[in-house]
Amino acid sequence: MYPFKYQKAATVRGAVSLLNKAEDPKLLAGGHTLIPTMKQRLASPKTLIDLSGAGLSGIEQKGRSIVVGAMTTHAEVASSPLVQQAIPALAQLAGHIGDPQVRHRGTIGGSVANNDPAADYPAALMALGAVVHTSKRKIPADEFFAGLFSTALDEDEVITKVAFPIPGKAGYVKFPNPASRYAIVGVFVAKRGGQVRVAVTGAGSDGVFRHAAMEEALSRRFHAKSLEGVATDAGGMNGDIHASPEYRAHLVGVMARRAVAAATA
């Protein structure tokens, strides 16, 4: 490790002020990505701004949405009776992120802001039509994710909470990397009224994406059999040592059918 300044924000406004004043700052949430990259010298911020004291954790229902504070841990989302009742697929997703150590330290805001192409939460936000609330504005999930490790966030913008509309039905299934538990392919499906949304993580060469053909098929009939014959183009898939583009394209169909089955069980 190398020398850097550590500052702890007491409020969101204080965090924004520090972002504007500090030299080469980075926000620290759970730290599961930032700290390892700093150790490997892949990132070298001169100032870390800790958000753990900024009052950004908590889960509540507002109208027909479940609102999750940005510093709420994966374990808290997974164990929340409110989430388990309103959006059980979201609780199930959070309960299978990494291992217990990761789930008790990692936060939803940190995961969303990092936008790892194999992370689970981006698929949930996209499929559920969530809205990301920040210190400046509200950003719909469809506009928030902007490619690998990229988002619509400005340099001085802080995620404060994520609002998830409560769906009629939802399911999430992933094919995890056996070591990291990251999604080699993960598919989240959600039905809310007459709208069906399908989001895929871990597979796309440009990160999380919605699967229009599957959404169209499921809009006609929300059943796993509706996805039979719906193809996924391997040309848009990521390929690495874990899985080829063709294998990932095949897994998208398998995981999607399982997700729909879970949503209708």
Side-chain angles (χ1 to χ4, degrees):
M1 192 65 78
Y2 58 90
F4 58 86
K5 291 182 180 179
Y6 170 86
Q7 295 180 302
K8 190 169 185 176
T11 63
V12 174
R13 181 176 294 182
V16 173
S17 177
L18 289 170
L19 278 173
N20 287 319
K21 295 177 181 179
E23 182 181 8
D24 189 19
K26 284 286 186 182
L27 295 173
L28 177 65
H32 279 289
T33 296
L34 180 58
I35 299 303
T37 55
M38 289 174 65
K39 288 181 177 179
Q40 297 172 47
R41 301 301 177 97
L42 298 175
S44 53
K46 295 182 179 179
T47 307
L48 291 188
I49 301 170
D50 188 350
L51 293 174
S52 63
L56 292 176
S57 62
I59 301 171
E60 61 181 333
Q61 181 170 348
K62 289 190 174 181
R64 290 296 297 166
S65 293
I66 297 298
V67 181
V68 183
M71 289 297 289
T72 306
T73 65
H74 312 321
E76 289 169 332
V77 175
S79 62
S80 165
L82 192 57
V83 179
Q84 290 172 354
Q85 180 178 2
I87 317 178
L90 182 61
Q92 184 268 340
L93 176 153
H96 288 85
I97 294 175
D99 53 31
Q101 291 85 350
V102 168
R103 292 192 290 273
H104 281 83
R105 183 64 184 173
T107 66
I108 186 171
S111 176
V112 170
N114 188 47
N115 190 19
D116 190 294
D120 299 291
Y121 278 126
L125 268 69
M126 289 279 275
L128 292 168
V131 177
V132 179
H133 293 238
T134 78
S135 52
K136 289 183 175 181
R137 51 187 170 149
K138 302 175 183 178
I139 312 173
D142 286 337
E143 301 172 14
F144 182 83
F145 300 105
L148 304 180
F149 297 102
S150 298
T151 70
L153 290 171
D154 293 334
E155 290 295 325
D156 62 344
E157 198 166 11
V158 179
I159 296 176
T160 58
K161 56 190 175 183
V162 181
F164 295 93
I166 299 173
K169 298 178 181 179
Y172 177 68
V173 176
K174 70 175 175 180
F175 189 87
N177 181 301
S180 68
R181 314 308 293 173
Y182 272 107
I184 292 177
V185 172
V187 180
F188 201 116
V189 300
K191 185 178 189 297
R192 185 166 177 256
Q195 184 184 42
V196 175
R197 296 168 68 100
V198 180
V200 182
T201 189
S205 57
D206 200 31
V208 64
F209 67 93
R210 286 176 60 187
H211 201 301
M214 288 185 174
E215 291 178 348
E216 182 179 352
L218 291 171
S219 293
R220 292 192 293 268
R221 182 188 180 210
F222 195 77
H223 193 280
K225 289 186 177 179
S226 300
L227 297 178
E228 293 178 0
V230 178
T232 300
D233 183 9
M237 298 294 101
N238 180 37
D240 53 29
I241 62 173
H242 304 296
S244 67
E246 292 76 16
Y247 186 55
R248 277 190 165 90
H250 170 71
L251 280 178
V252 169
V254 176
M255 297 300 106
R257 289 191 292 274
R258 292 180 182 178
V260 173
T264 57

